[in-house]
Amino acid sequence: MASDRAHENPSAPAEKQIDRPNRPPRPNYKQIHAHPLPINIFPLPPLLPHNPLSVLQIALIYFFQLVVPPSSHPQELYQGCFTTETRSVHITDEKTTRSLWEQGFFGKGSLSRSEPSWLDREKRRKGVRASETSEELTKRRREERREFKKERARKEREVIEEKLHAEGKYTARNTADDGEDESHKLIMDSEKGHEPDNLRSASQSEAQPKKVTIAGTGSLGSVEEEHPTEAQALLKDPIPPQGDAVTLGSQKPTRAADTITNQEHLQLTPEEAFFLVYGLGVLQITSQNPQTIISTKSLLSLFRQNSYFPPRPPSELRPDDPFLLSYVVYHHFRSLGWVVRPGIKFAVDYLLYNRGPAFSHAEFAVVIVPSYRHRYWLSTPTLAAASEKRESRSWWWLHCINRVQSQVRKSLLLVYVEVPPPIDLLSNVGDHAWQGTGSATADIDITGMLKQYRIRELTIRRWTPNRSRD
C-alpha cells in the first residue's frame, strides 16, 4: 500500500524522520532489586519428575538446613532514629539506605522525590559521575517529549501553509495577521506555563546585577553583560568552605570527589518502620534525646500518639487511630506481596505496585475507609451518629477521586477496615489482646490486637458510555 501511494503521488515530499538521541542503557533493575524484602530466603531446588537425582538434592539441602539453619536476617540490625518534628524514622547510614531501598522500596530520600539519589546528582553536576539518576532521566525524557511535540506542531503548520499557498490565500496575509499569530503564540505559551523568549530575555537582563561584590573584598566594579568576568563566574559556583583558598587568577578552584559529603538521609513512614520492626524484625529504632532503644510495644504507642496533631496522651487513644488503620492496611498488602508506597501525589492513601516503581507504574490506588459494624458503635445514638460521620463519604468526593485515578490509569480500591470496640470491652475476649485500661505501658499482645481488625476490599471503575457498551 505504501509503494502504491508513492507511485500515485510522486511529487509528495518524503516525510522526514525525527532523529532522537540514543538513550544510555538502563541499569539492570532485575539484579539490583532481586530481593523483594531485606531478608535472605533459602528456597529448596525444584523437583524434576524425570530426574531422580533432584529428589536426592532436595533431601540433602533440606537436611543441611535442618542441622545448620541459615540466618535470614542480617548479622547486625539496621539502625534508625525517630524524630517527632517530621513524624518519621531517619536512616543515616548509606549502606542501610541502599539495602532498604533496593530490597523492598522502603522509605524516601529526604532531598529526592523517591529514590535517594542526591549524592549521584551532585557528583554528576560537578562532573565526577557520568551515569544518570532516575530523576534526571525523567527530566530528560520530558524535555525530549516536549521537543517532539514542538517538531510535530511545526510540521503540521507547514502542511497548513502549503495548503494555503495552493489555494492562493497565503499571499493575501499581511503584517497584521502575522502580528495576530505572534500574539496567539505568546498566549499559548503563557497558558502552557512557558515564558516567551523575548520576555524571558528581558527579565533575565533586568535581573542580572550590574555590580558584583564579594564580602571582605569590596566592589569589583561594574560587570558588562556581554563579557562576564572571572568574579562573575566564581559567583555562579557554590561558595567553597572556609578552608579552601579563593583566587581570581586563571586557575579555578576544584574539588575532589571525596570532599562531597552525602547530606541526604532516608525517611521511613511510621507504617514502614513498624513493619520492619514488628513484621520482619530487621530494624531497631532509637529515640532522639536521649538515644535509647525503643521496644516494639512502646513504639506502637509512640506511633499511635503521633498520628494525631497535636499528639494525644496514651489515655485518649482510640481503636480507630490513624496509625492503626493505616498499618493494618499496609501490613495486609505487604503480606500479599505488593509493594506499598504513599499515594499523596494522587490524593489517596497508598499505591500498590506489582514489583516496584522501578519496573512499572502502580496498578491500584488505595483509599482507607473506617467501618463501624460492631454492635458497640451502634449501642447509643451518640456513638451511632459519630460513627456514621467518620465513615460517610460524599458522592462529590468519590467522583473526584475516581476521576483522578482514571486519568492516571489506576484502579481505585476502597479498603474498609472494621474497627473493633475499645480496650475495656476486649479485655476479656479471646487471648486478651488488649490488656490493661488504655495505658501505654500495658502488656499488649500486638498480634492478638491486630487480629481484631477485618478488611473488606471494593474496586471501583469509572463507567463511560462510549467505552462500557455491551
Side-chain angles (χ1 to χ4, degrees):
M1 296 295 294
S3 59
D4 295 340
R5 291 178 183 176
H7 287 298
E8 291 175 3
N9 192 9
S11 60
E15 188 173 340
K16 295 182 180 179
Q17 297 292 334
I18 301 176
D19 295 334
R20 293 187 177 183
N22 295 328
R23 296 177 178 176
R26 299 182 63 183
N28 190 359
Y29 290 120
K30 293 184 179 180
Q31 182 179 1
I32 296 175
H33 305 282
H35 298 281
L37 292 174
I39 55 177
N40 298 322
I41 302 176
F42 304 94
L44 295 176
L47 176 62
L48 303 178
H50 61 276
N51 187 5
L53 295 178
S54 63
V55 180
L56 180 61
Q57 183 184 10
I58 294 175
L60 289 176
I61 294 178
Y62 180 78
F63 175 75
F64 281 115
Q65 292 184 0
L66 189 64
V67 175
V68 185
S71 178
S72 59
H73 291 62
Q75 297 180 357
E76 296 183 1
L77 297 180
Y78 301 134
Q79 301 294 325
C81 179
F82 176 74
T83 58
T84 56
E85 291 80 6
T86 59
R87 299 184 188 181
S88 60
V89 177
H90 293 183
I91 307 294
T92 56
D93 183 53
E94 296 185 12
K95 184 178 179 181
T96 304
T97 298
R98 298 311 308 176
S99 299
L100 293 180
W101 174 258
E102 294 176 358
Q103 302 177 16
F105 299 95
F106 290 94
K108 168 196 173 299
S110 59
L111 300 178
S112 305
R113 294 179 57 188
S114 181
E115 180 182 1
S117 59
W118 177 86
L119 184 60
D120 295 338
R121 297 198 310 270
E122 187 70 11
K123 289 180 179 179
R124 181 176 175 82
R125 186 179 69 86
K126 295 188 177 182
V128 178
R129 187 183 180 89
S131 60
E132 280 187 321
T133 60
S134 58
E135 294 184 356
E136 293 173 342
L137 180 63
T138 303
K139 181 180 179 181
R140 181 173 57 81
R141 287 184 176 179
R142 288 177 178 175
E143 292 178 355
E144 292 178 1
R145 192 181 301 115
R146 189 181 301 112
E147 294 297 330
F148 174 76
K149 291 181 179 179
K150 288 182 179 179
E151 184 68 16
R152 183 177 58 185
R154 185 186 63 81
K155 290 189 174 183
E156 292 176 356
R157 186 171 63 251
E158 290 178 355
V159 173
I160 294 175
E161 290 178 357
E162 291 178 359
K163 186 176 181 180
L164 293 176
H165 270 297
E167 295 177 357
K169 298 180 180 180
Y170 186 78
T171 55
R173 299 178 61 187
N174 51 17
T175 340
D177 297 334
D178 297 338
E180 291 178 0
D181 292 342
E182 186 67 17
S183 62
H184 179 69
K185 179 182 178 182
L186 295 178
I187 293 174
M188 294 298 294
D189 290 342
S190 61
E191 289 178 352
K192 293 180 181 179
H194 302 296
E195 191 178 5
D197 296 335
N198 52 359
L199 296 180
R200 189 186 302 115
S201 60
S203 60
Q204 290 178 356
S205 61
E206 292 177 0
Q208 191 170 7
K210 301 297 182 180
K211 183 175 290 186
V212 180
T213 305
I214 301 178
T217 61
S219 175
L220 296 179
S222 60
V223 178
E224 296 294 337
E225 295 178 0
E226 291 110 2
H227 305 285
T229 59
E230 295 176 352
Q232 187 178 6
L234 284 176
L235 288 180
K236 295 181 181 179
D237 295 335
I239 300 177
Q242 297 179 0
D244 297 345
V246 180
T247 59
L248 298 181
S250 59
Q251 189 174 5
K252 295 179 64 176
T254 58
R255 292 183 179 178
D258 53 358
T259 60
I260 304 177
T261 58
N262 193 1
Q263 302 179 9
E264 187 177 32
H265 61 269
L266 187 70
Q267 287 183 341
L268 296 175
T269 62
E271 293 79 12
E272 292 174 332
F274 195 75
F275 180 77
L276 293 172
V277 173
Y278 166 74
L280 300 181
V282 297
L283 180 63
Q284 195 174 56
I285 300 178
T286 60
S287 59
Q288 195 170 8
N289 286 317
Q291 291 189 355
T292 56
I293 299 176
I294 305 177
S295 62
T296 306
K297 298 176 181 179
S298 300
L299 189 65
L300 174 63
S301 177
L302 180 64
F303 286 160
R304 293 178 62 189
Q305 296 176 40
N306 285 272
S307 62
Y308 297 96
F309 184 81
R312 292 187 179 182
S315 58
E316 298 183 7
L317 298 179
R318 297 169 47 90
D320 57 350
D321 294 331
F323 171 76
L324 281 180
L325 298 180
S326 300
Y327 180 74
V328 166
V329 176
Y330 184 89
H331 191 107
H332 170 71
F333 287 109
R334 273 288 184 178
S335 62
L336 294 178
W338 292 95
V339 175
V340 186
R341 299 288 299 167
I344 189 174
K345 180 179 179 180
F346 301 107
V348 294
D349 295 312
Y350 290 122
L351 295 176
L352 301 183
Y353 293 85
N354 188 14
R355 297 183 61 184
F359 298 96
S360 61
H361 293 281
E363 298 184 18
F364 294 94
V366 177
V367 175
I368 302 174
V369 181
S371 176
Y372 301 89
R373 300 179 61 182
H374 195 273
R375 60 179 180 271
Y376 166 78
W377 304 108
L378 306 175
S379 58
T380 62
T382 305
L383 283 176
S387 301
E388 184 180 1
K389 183 179 180 180
R390 296 192 189 97
E391 186 179 6
S392 62
R393 299 291 188 275
S394 63
W395 280 106
W396 292 102
W397 170 86
L398 181 60
H399 283 307
C400 293
I401 294 293
N402 198 17
R403 179 63 180 268
V404 172
Q405 308 314 316
S406 62
Q407 291 295 325
V408 295
R409 301 182 181 275
K410 291 175 176 49
S411 300
L412 179 61
L413 184 63
L414 296 182
V415 179
Y416 291 88
V417 181
E418 297 184 8
V419 182
I423 297 174
D424 297 335
L425 298 180
L426 283 180
S427 58
N428 297 323
V429 177
D431 54 354
H432 301 279
W434 305 72
Q435 296 181 4
T437 57
S439 174
T441 58
D443 188 12
I444 298 178
D445 181 14
I446 300 178
T447 304
M449 179 192 66
L450 296 178
K451 286 182 179 180
Q452 304 298 327
Y453 292 85
R454 297 290 183 269
I455 289 180
R456 292 181 289 113
E457 302 174 5
L458 178 63
T459 305
I460 297 181
R461 298 181 184 274
R462 186 181 175 215
W463 184 82
T464 55
N466 295 334
R467 298 182 180 179
S468 304
R469 291 178 178 177
D470 294 332

